[in-house]
């Protein structure tokens, strides 16, 4: 028997995708599937699944995530984060900006500061954003992957590790430096915003997540537009297309970062435009 979950009643337009983390997807000629927006953190407020999400996950016959985390892929990610041509981060940033980066990372995590010398600028930005997570465990997406494995659910990825690496690694070095310089200037704002983002997520407020993400955008409009195209627009379209096989099988549970769901180019609107019936569950 399939793990069907009763949808919520929504006031307003039927395609109002501004609020909600769990969505039922109908229309593939199979049993309904579910799309869940995650938050890439190990914060226990996030990793403790609400009952409707737990019910949909437990009843699903498969689990799909952005990219399957496995040993060789994680090694590839780690290797891509470091220069392999003899460059150092100080060579690329200059002494003054490099020292600011080291000072920030030293305050956050001394181990990160020691490793930063040969990191690429995009990898340092990831180190900034990962600071202060505080959960001490697996990120939500990986925790779901582990649960799926323990319950013998087939697990699929919507992207390859190489594709995820290319999102930032494929940016020019000059643009990476622009983004990192902006991140250094706004590090306090970014850290404060993480709690705001967490609260918005717990409220299931996708519109607020988009608004907060805009607050954190870099000053260089061209670089920001390119980054968002790489990070969301292109990936959303690809992931929706690759979801189709799972939707055709039916009773799938698909989990992606919550920022992939809302907006004109978000996955919810893309699925609706493709003819699927998209209904908020939670």
């Amino acid at each position: 028997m399939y793990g069907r979950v009763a949808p919520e009643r929504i006031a307003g337009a039927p395609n109002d995708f501004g609020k909600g983390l769990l969505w039922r997807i109908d229309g593939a000629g199979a049993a309904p599937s579910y799309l869940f927006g995650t938050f890439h953190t190990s914060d226990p407020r996030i990793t403790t699944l609400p009952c409707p999400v737990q019910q949909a996950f437990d009843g699903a016959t498969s689990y799909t995530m952005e990219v399957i985390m496995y040993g060789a892929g994680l090694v590839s990610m780690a290797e891509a984060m470091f220069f392999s041509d003899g460059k150092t981060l100080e060579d690329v940033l200059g002494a003054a900006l490099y020292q600011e980066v080291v000072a920030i990372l030293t305050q956050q995590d001394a181990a990160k500061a020691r490793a930063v010398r040969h990191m690429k600028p995009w990898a340092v930005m990831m180190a900034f954003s990962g600071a202060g997570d505080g959960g001490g465990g697996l990120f939500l997406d990986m925790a779901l992957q582990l649960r799926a494995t323990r319950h013998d659910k087939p697990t699929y990825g919507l992207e390859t590790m190489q594709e995820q690496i290319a999102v930032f690694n494929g940016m020019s070095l000059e643009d990476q430096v622009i983004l990192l310089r902006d991140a250094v200037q706004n590090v306090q704002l970014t850290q404060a915003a993480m709690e705001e983002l967490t609260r918005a997520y717990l409220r299931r407020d996708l519109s607020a997540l988009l608004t907060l993400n805009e607050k954190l955008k870099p000053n260089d409009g061209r670089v920001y537009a390119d980054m968002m195209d790489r990070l969301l627009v292109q990936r959303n379209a690809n992931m929706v297309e690759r979801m189709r096989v799972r939707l055709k099988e039916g009773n799938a549970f698909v989990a992606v970062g919550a920022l992939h769901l809302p907006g004109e180019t978000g996955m919810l609107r893309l699925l609706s435009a493709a003819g699927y019936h998209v209904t908020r569950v939670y």
Side-chain angles (χ1 to χ4, degrees), residues 27 240-241 244 268-277:
V240 164
E241 184 60 32
R244 286 177 178 270
L268 296 174
R269 200 165 296 281
L270 292 178
L271 285 163
S272 181
Y276 296 98
H277 186 63

Side-chain angles (χ1 to χ4, degrees), residues 57 62-63 143-155:
F57 178 83
S62 68
Y63 171 60
L144 289 171
Q145 180 183 345
L146 180 59
R147 293 184 198 189
T149 300
R150 287 175 172 170
H151 290 87
D152 295 320
K153 293 184 192 293
T155 300

Side-chain angles (χ1 to χ4, degrees), residues 196-268:
E196 286 188 76
L197 287 166
T198 299
R199 291 175 183 169
Y201 180 84
L202 291 170
R203 295 195 308 271
R204 297 172 273 158
D205 193 339
L206 297 177
S207 294
L209 289 177
L210 279 180
T211 299
L212 287 166
N213 190 60
E214 282 288 311
K215 281 177 59 177
L216 299 174
K217 70 181 182 182
N219 294 319
D220 190 306
R222 177 192 62 79
V223 175
Y224 176 69
D226 178 62
M227 181 180 71
M228 296 309 291
D229 184 63
R230 288 171 167 274
L231 192 63
L232 293 180
V233 179
Q234 294 182 32
R235 294 175 65 213
N236 289 350
N238 289 338
M239 288 195 289
V240 164
E241 184 60 32
R242 292 171 184 179
M243 276 177 64
R244 286 177 178 270
V245 63
R246 305 280 80 88
L247 299 179
K248 188 174 181 180
E249 291 172 353
N251 201 36
F253 187 97
V254 181
V256 299
L259 273 174
H260 290 286
L261 302 186
E264 291 301 315
T265 59
M267 293 177 69
L268 296 174

Side-chain angles (χ1 to χ4, degrees), residues 34-41 57 62-70 74 77 126 139-145 154-165 167-168 201 230-240 242-243 246 253-262 267:
Y34 295 91
L35 177 61
F36 175 52
T38 67
F39 196 65
H40 302 319
T41 178
F57 178 83
S62 68
Y63 171 60
T64 300
M65 58 197 299
E66 289 180 25
V67 62
I68 297 175
M69 299 296 177
Y70 63 100
L74 293 173
M77 173 68 83
M126 297 299 101
F139 280 14
L140 176 56
D141 314 67
M142 294 180 68
L144 289 171
Q145 180 183 345
T155 300
Y156 304 98
L158 294 172
E159 300 175 306
T160 66
M161 184 65 76
Q162 288 69 30
E163 287 172 327
Q164 282 218 337
I165 292 169
V167 171
F168 287 108
Y201 180 84
R230 288 171 167 274
L231 192 63
L232 293 180
V233 179
Q234 294 182 32
R235 294 175 65 213
N236 289 350
N238 289 338
M239 288 195 289
V240 164
R242 292 171 184 179
M243 276 177 64
R246 305 280 80 88
F253 187 97
V254 181
V256 299
L259 273 174
H260 290 286
L261 302 186
M267 293 177 69

